[in-house]
Amino acid sequence: MGSVKIKIISVVGKKDTGKTSLTVKIIKELRKRSFKVATIKHSHHMLEMDRENTDTWKHKEAGSETVVGIGSRTFF
């Protein structure tokens, strides 16, 4: 079996600067190019799991196959 190359893209920025919108566009483009996509959402505050219109929900809707949420007291 051959080796697997994993590519990592990191989107970092201040609050309300469009990180999630950019991430959703990246996910859609990678899926269009037949890449498998997993995302990790990190936050310093409490996260809610896959409630409609949360960042993790948007990642899943965009096509991320696996979505991980990590908060100050939350992990899912």
Side-chain angles (χ1 to χ4, degrees):
M1 193 171 274
S3 64
V4 176
K5 290 186 180 183
I6 297 174
K7 310 258 189 235
I8 298 172
I9 298 170
S10 179
V11 178
V12 180
K14 293 183 179 182
K15 185 177 179 178
D16 296 322
T17 56
K19 296 178 303 296
T20 300
S21 297
L22 175 61
T23 300
V24 164
K25 289 176 183 178
I26 292 169
I27 294 167
K28 288 180 179 181
E29 183 61 30
L30 291 173
R31 294 295 294 145
K32 191 184 321 178
R33 296 180 187 206
S34 300
F35 284 91
K36 291 183 178 184
V37 177
T39 58
I40 301 170
K41 166 64 181 171
H42 178 266
S43 180
H44 293 288
H45 56 79
M46 292 290 288
L47 295 173
E48 294 186 58
M49 187 167 78
D50 292 335
R51 195 185 82 227
E52 190 171 351
N53 291 318
T54 60
D55 290 351
T56 54
W57 181 86
K58 290 175 184 178
H59 289 193
K60 190 69 172 172
E61 287 293 303
S64 183
E65 296 176 52
T66 302
V67 179
V68 175
I70 302 172
S72 59
R73 296 183 192 173
T74 313
F75 177 83
F76 58 87

